[in-house]
């Protein structure tokens, strides 16, 4: 869901000038026939929520891994309550010097209609230097690359310094059978890890195929919807009373508009702001530096918050997104409801934000419920779980990233970012597993087609991504150099 929609995507508008100066042509990489073949197979298995089947894709990947040398016990197709929404978990055994690492990738794709596309979205098509098909950007490219990398390491009899677990899962894009959530709740033994990597977020942003930045998603905001409700006996509109359900909800929303959440900087947003201070110029750069000081400059925070992207980086945001009220033009409203959508900073829980909203609205006539995404039903109390405040990115991971990215995209900066959308990493983070989002497949900043029509990925970008992931995993888990 989140691919290329977060801080990472946004910073390119300003990063471009710098990037053009720094961009370097990538070294030529050879195609990986196995990765391409798996990619084709995955694209051609429809995994949409409406008619698709992630169990079929999971089973196909399990077969590939077993043919590649994995034992039956080390590759498991795991199906939860819905037989069409299954997952696969594979384990490459390491020396046990460190606790396991986990790679997650979603198998499901967003709906795609043949009549909207120039090619069949479920036929893998190579055309004009691109691979076309639903899931070529989001994220069957990375799924195929991970499966191919694991098979290659298995066939080399490579022993990493920790187990490498790969979980390919259902219902990231929609549906109620999210595989990562389900595995963490029901089969934690299969996926428990010291940290996780999710290629659904972050990654290489490019311009006409030239890499600009390598975005390392190191934390994410938590998504939450709240429903405000005011009820009233109503009556005839010719006899208005001061007690009016619409006014109560409207007043509450007005107070919300005037009450931004306090600003807060964590190690990841600090690193991103430090990077942006070097990219921006003039008063904007001065404001960023003033915000980074201890204590931060309140006037600079206010100025920076005028920009939606900086604002969403600096604080939890809650915004009115829907409104519904009344039942007749000539009747006093018996009911008014609004939806408020929040994106919560790590370190805070949905229940904490619900209490904040109640305090901001300051009106007992307005009830505030949390919407359970699994059922779409309002709940009186929200969960108290929160994503961990992120630690600074792991040194071993940064070292391996710098080493491998530096050979494929010399001079391209690695920028830690906080995704302001949401991906499956939020489940691993809430479960206490620090999670990092990046892929090695570069996507042009003006060619983001995830969820859209004619989704495509540059052939060279796929080949680079395959080389990147394989080399990265070995640099991360190989003997120290
Ligand atoms: Zn995705």
């Amino acid at each position: 869901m989140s691919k290329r929609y977060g801080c990472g995507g946004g910073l390119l508008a300003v990063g471009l000038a710098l990037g053009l100066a720094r961009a370097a042509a990538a070294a030529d990489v050879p195609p990986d026939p196995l990765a391409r073949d798996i990619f084709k197979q995955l694209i051609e298995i429809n995994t949409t929520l409406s008619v698709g089947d992630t169990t079929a894709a999971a089973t196909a990947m399990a077969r590939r891994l077993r043919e590649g040398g994995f034992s039956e016990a080390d590759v498991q197709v795991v199906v939860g309550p819905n037989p069409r929404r299954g997952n696969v978990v594979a384990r490459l055994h390491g020396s046990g010097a460190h606790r396991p690492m986990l790679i997650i990738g979603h198998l499901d794709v967003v709906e795609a209609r043949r009549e909207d596309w120039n090619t069949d979205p479920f036929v893998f098509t190579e055309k004009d230097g691109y691979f076309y098909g639903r899931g070529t950007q989001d994220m069957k490219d990375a799924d195929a690359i991970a499966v191919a990398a694991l098979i290659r390491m298995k066939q080399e009899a490579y022993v990493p310094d920790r187990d490498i677990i790969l979980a390919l899962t259902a219902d990231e894009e929609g549906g109620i059978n999210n595989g990562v959530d389900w595995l963490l709740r029901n089969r934690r033994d299969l996926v428990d890890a010291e940290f996780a990597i999710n290629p659904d977020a972050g990654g290489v942003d490019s311009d006409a195929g030239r890499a600009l930045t390598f975005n390392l998603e190191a934390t994410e905001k938590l998504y939450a919807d709240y429903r405000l409700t005011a009820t009233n006996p109503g009556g005839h509109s010719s006899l208005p009373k001061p007690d009016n359900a619409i006014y109560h909800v409207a007043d509450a929303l007005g107070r919300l508009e005037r009450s931004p959440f306090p600003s807060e900087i964590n190690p990841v947003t600090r690193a991103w702001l430090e990077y942006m201070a070097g990219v921006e110029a003039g008063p904007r750069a001065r404001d960023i530096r003033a915000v980074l000081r201890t204590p931060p400059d309140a006037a600079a925070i206010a100025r920076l918050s005028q920009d939606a992207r900086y604002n969403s980086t600096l604080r939890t945001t809650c915004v009115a997104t829907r409104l519904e009220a009344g039942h007749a033009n000539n009747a006093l409203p018996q009911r008014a409801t609004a939806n408020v959508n929040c994106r919560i900073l790590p370190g805070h829980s949905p229940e904490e934000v619900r209490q904040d909203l109640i305090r901001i609205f300051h009106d007992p006539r307005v009830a505030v419920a949390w919407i359970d995404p699994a059922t779409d039903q309002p709940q009186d109390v929200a969960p108290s779980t929160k994503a961990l405040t992120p630690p600074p990115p792991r040194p071993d991971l940064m070292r391996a990233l710098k080493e491998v990215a530096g050979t494929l995209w010399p001079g391209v900066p690695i920028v830690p970012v906080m995704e302001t959308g949401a991906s499956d990493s939020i489940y691993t983070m809430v479960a206490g597993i620090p999670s990092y989002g990046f892929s090695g497949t570069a996507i042009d900043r003006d060619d983001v087609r995830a969820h859209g029509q004619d989704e495509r990925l540059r052939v060279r970008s796929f080949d680079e991504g395959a080389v990147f992931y394989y080399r990265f995993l070995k640099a991360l888990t190989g003997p120290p150099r």
Side-chain angles (χ1 to χ4, degrees):
M1 181 199 298
S2 67
K3 193 145 185 165
R4 310 297 152 101
Y5 294 100
C7 288
L11 72 84
L12 283 163
V14 275
L16 177 62
L18 169 103
L20 283 176
R22 287 198 191 173
D28 268 344
V29 294
D32 180 338
L34 177 65
R36 283 192 186 187
D37 200 42
I38 296 171
F39 192 21
K40 176 180 194 299
Q41 182 181 23
L42 275 177
I43 295 293
E44 296 188 348
I45 299 172
N46 186 329
T47 52
T48 57
L49 187 59
S50 59
V51 298
D53 188 341
T54 63
T55 306
T59 306
M61 292 306 100
R63 193 174 307 125
R64 287 274 187 180
L65 287 155
R66 286 178 188 139
E67 284 167 5
F70 283 79
S71 71
E72 294 282 323
D74 288 339
V75 182
Q76 295 195 33
V77 175
V78 189
V79 185
N82 184 336
R84 280 201 304 119
R85 311 310 290 171
N87 317 285
V88 61
V89 182
R91 181 180 297 255
L92 180 71
H93 288 279
S95 68
H98 303 285
R99 287 182 57 217
M101 64 175 283
L102 171 68
I103 304 169
I104 55 174
H106 65 82
L107 287 168
D108 60 315
V109 292
V110 171
E111 308 293 332
R113 292 188 308 193
R114 175 67 187 92
E115 59 268 30
D116 295 340
W117 281 51
N118 287 306
T119 61
D120 186 329
F122 299 102
V123 174
F124 188 71
T125 306
E126 184 175 347
K127 199 175 71 172
D128 309 326
Y130 286 87
F131 293 128
Y132 285 81
R134 171 56 88 222
T136 46
Q137 288 191 359
D138 183 14
M139 60 169 294
K140 286 176 167 174
D141 53 335
D143 296 339
I145 284 169
V147 171
L150 251 67
I151 290 174
R152 191 164 162 195
M153 291 189 284
K154 186 78 180 178
Q155 293 181 337
E156 291 170 349
Y158 171 69
V159 180
D161 64 3
R162 57 175 88 233
D163 287 6
I164 301 176
I165 305 166
L166 172 64
L168 300 177
T169 59
D171 287 8
E172 192 274 343
E173 303 288 6
I176 58 170
N177 291 285
N178 182 281
V180 175
D181 188 33
W182 194 88
L183 285 164
L184 286 164
R185 285 178 200 280
N186 298 285
R187 293 302 308 272
R188 178 95 187 216
D189 58 307
L190 273 184
V191 293
D192 199 30
E194 185 177 328
F195 63 93
I197 286 174
N198 178 6
D200 197 23
V204 181
D205 282 312
S206 57
D207 183 59
R210 296 166 75 84
L212 302 176
T213 54
F214 188 104
N215 301 319
L216 170 67
E217 191 226 60
T219 190
E220 264 180 27
K221 285 178 129 180
L222 195 56
Y223 178 109
D225 283 312
Y226 298 89
R227 182 174 301 168
L228 281 57
T229 307
T231 53
N232 192 282
H236 201 284
S237 65
S238 64
L239 299 167
K241 294 171 283 185
D243 181 26
N244 179 306
I246 290 178
Y247 294 160
H248 301 327
V249 168
D251 284 347
L253 295 176
R255 280 191 282 272
L256 177 65
E257 185 192 4
R258 294 186 296 273
S259 312
F261 280 66
S263 75
E264 202 176 299
I265 296 175
N266 62 48
V268 174
T269 54
R270 174 170 294 277
W272 181 74
L273 287 166
E274 281 166 356
Y275 170 75
M276 290 308 290
V279 172
E280 303 265 27
R284 174 61 61 86
R286 278 198 296 280
D287 278 346
I288 296 173
R289 290 196 183 93
V291 165
L292 287 169
R293 275 200 288 274
T294 314
D297 181 325
I301 290 173
R303 282 191 298 272
L304 214 50
S305 301
Q306 302 293 312
D307 178 298
R309 190 162 39 88
Y310 285 105
N311 184 53
S312 71
T313 301
L314 287 169
R315 55 172 51 85
T316 291
T317 61
C318 288
V319 63
T321 53
R322 301 181 87 159
L323 199 55
E324 204 181 308
H327 57 283
N329 287 350
N330 57 2
L332 298 173
Q334 292 176 5
R335 186 181 179 82
T337 65
N339 188 80
V340 167
N341 178 252
C342 299
R343 307 299 175 117
I344 304 169
L345 281 179
H348 301 278
S349 72
E351 178 59 17
E352 203 182 320
V353 170
R354 197 183 73 88
Q355 297 294 340
D356 287 337
L357 290 174
I358 290 170
R359 185 181 44 73
I360 290 167
F361 299 152
H362 196 65
D363 186 346
R365 292 165 301 192
V366 177
V368 184
W370 170 75
I371 306 294
D372 185 344
T375 59
D376 206 29
Q377 293 303 310
Q379 303 288 336
D380 290 342
V381 178
S384 298
T385 47
K386 49 187 142 187
L388 295 176
T389 317
R394 295 174 64 91
D396 56 349
L397 189 120
M398 290 306 285
R399 177 190 54 74
L401 264 186
K402 278 183 184 140
E403 179 188 321
V404 179
T407 58
L408 283 167
W409 307 284
V412 170
I414 296 173
V415 184
V417 296
M418 174 177 71
E419 188 112 5
T420 52
S423 79
D424 275 346
S425 297
I426 203 67
Y427 295 109
T428 45
M429 288 186 207
V430 165
I433 302 174
S435 306
Y436 304 92
F438 56 88
S439 79
T441 49
I443 295 177
D444 284 355
R445 62 196 174 89
D446 60 355
D447 200 40
V448 176
R449 298 186 181 199
H451 302 200
Q453 65 175 158
D454 296 333
E455 188 178 345
R456 67 179 185 176
L457 182 68
R458 199 177 260 111
V459 170
R460 199 190 77 198
S461 177
F462 179 79
D463 291 339
E464 273 173 20
V467 168
F468 167 82
Y469 238 75
Y470 166 78
R471 285 191 198 162
F472 166 75
L473 288 173
K474 288 187 96 169
L476 181 64
T477 62
R481 271 158 290 187

